[in-house]
Amino acid sequence: NPTTNGSSFYHSQKAGNFDLVASGNVFNDEGYRQGETELRGRFNINVKYNFKKVKGLSIGLNSNAMQTTGGLYILWQDADSGGYKPQAGTLSNYVTTRSNYDPFITYFTKKGDKHTIRTRYFNTTNTNNTNQESTAEFYYSEYQYRHLFKKSGAINLGAVATRSVILSDSLYGFHNGANYALYAQIDKRFFNRLSVSLGVRGEYFKIDEEESVT
């Protein structure tokens, strides 16, 4: 008889200019097919600091990590097993780890303009006993500037850069990709009834040796 169980926690705290949020959970599933189990643990923590001497400036970090351990198969032992038992040698025992770290900076000027820097590092690592392992990494960064018009409307300017890498000698091979972009958008309201948005974006793509500009 399959059973599942788990537990979780959550904590939030504010101490002066420092904000903290942390949570986590553990989940265990024995499954209903022989050898197919799952044990998953997840934890995330978000921290933010608002500078007192520099009004409008804050920095922070959002992070999340999860690990899953279990078994998986797609071939049955035979028709009589009803799909509940794996064919010999087809059960894959795996460990998958995913984690991301997102540092950011936000600054509001005295005139109300907003500057934002957002970054991310994301990693996925898959290991198993069938020689089908892989590791993927993703890097992301973005700068955005926003200015509000005195009457109504706003302008947003920004730049984005991303890079991805896949490492897998036995499954996918080695691949990498990159993307760089510049963008601008203007939103304006006229006569309190008509809203107009104009935007432009230019991008550069590269996957392995293939390149494209749009």
Side-chain angles (χ1 to χ4, degrees):
N1 293 323
T3 60
T4 61
N5 57 80
S7 61
S8 62
F9 77 91
Y10 176 84
H11 173 77
S12 63
Q13 181 178 354
K14 183 175 180 63
N17 297 328
F18 182 76
D19 300 332
L20 169 67
V21 176
S23 65
N25 64 77
V26 177
F27 177 75
N28 182 50
D29 185 0
E30 294 187 358
Y32 65 92
R33 304 203 300 181
Q34 184 179 5
E36 281 204 350
T37 61
E38 182 183 64
L39 175 61
R40 182 174 69 243
R42 182 172 182 172
F43 178 77
N44 69 276
I45 182 170
N46 303 331
V47 294
K48 182 180 179 181
Y49 182 78
N50 301 300
F51 286 86
K52 185 177 182 179
K53 295 183 178 180
V54 184
K55 293 185 178 181
L57 177 62
S58 61
I59 62 174
L61 172 67
N62 300 329
S63 60
N64 191 352
M66 181 176 69
Q67 185 176 82
T68 305
T69 303
L72 180 68
Y73 69 88
I74 60 174
L75 295 178
W76 303 352
Q77 183 182 63
D78 51 46
D80 297 331
S81 68
Y84 298 115
K85 295 182 179 180
Q87 189 176 107
T90 64
L91 179 65
S92 174
N93 296 313
Y94 65 87
V95 177
T96 300
T97 303
R98 293 183 175 90
S99 61
N100 65 272
Y101 307 92
D102 304 346
F104 64 89
I105 301 175
T106 304
Y107 177 60
F108 289 90
T109 68
K110 295 180 180 180
K111 295 182 179 180
D113 295 344
K114 182 181 180 182
H115 299 266
T116 306
I117 297 177
R118 291 189 290 260
T119 61
R120 163 170 286 193
Y121 170 72
F122 179 63
N123 176 277
T124 299
T125 300
N126 300 303
T127 60
N128 53 43
N129 63 337
T130 58
N131 195 31
Q132 295 176 317
E133 302 178 351
S134 65
T135 298
E137 295 180 335
F138 178 74
Y139 303 85
Y140 173 89
S141 60
E142 178 181 7
Y143 167 75
Q144 186 179 89
Y145 167 76
R146 185 187 70 183
H147 172 74
L148 298 177
F149 297 122
K150 291 183 178 181
K151 293 183 178 181
S152 59
I155 181 171
N156 290 279
L157 306 174
V160 181
T162 68
R163 187 172 186 270
S164 57
V165 179
I166 296 177
L167 305 171
S168 177
D169 294 335
S170 58
L171 191 59
Y172 303 112
F174 175 80
H175 300 280
N176 64 85
N179 171 242
Y180 305 100
L182 296 173
Y183 63 87
Q185 179 174 321
I186 299 177
D187 301 298
K188 185 66 176 176
R189 178 173 292 184
F190 300 92
F191 313 113
N192 294 324
R193 292 178 177 271
L194 176 64
S195 296
V196 178
S197 295
L198 298 175
V200 61
R201 184 182 180 100
E203 298 197 35
Y204 165 80
F205 298 92
K206 182 177 182 181
I207 299 178
D208 292 336
E209 301 303 323
E210 300 294 328
E211 297 178 288
S212 176
V213 178
T214 59

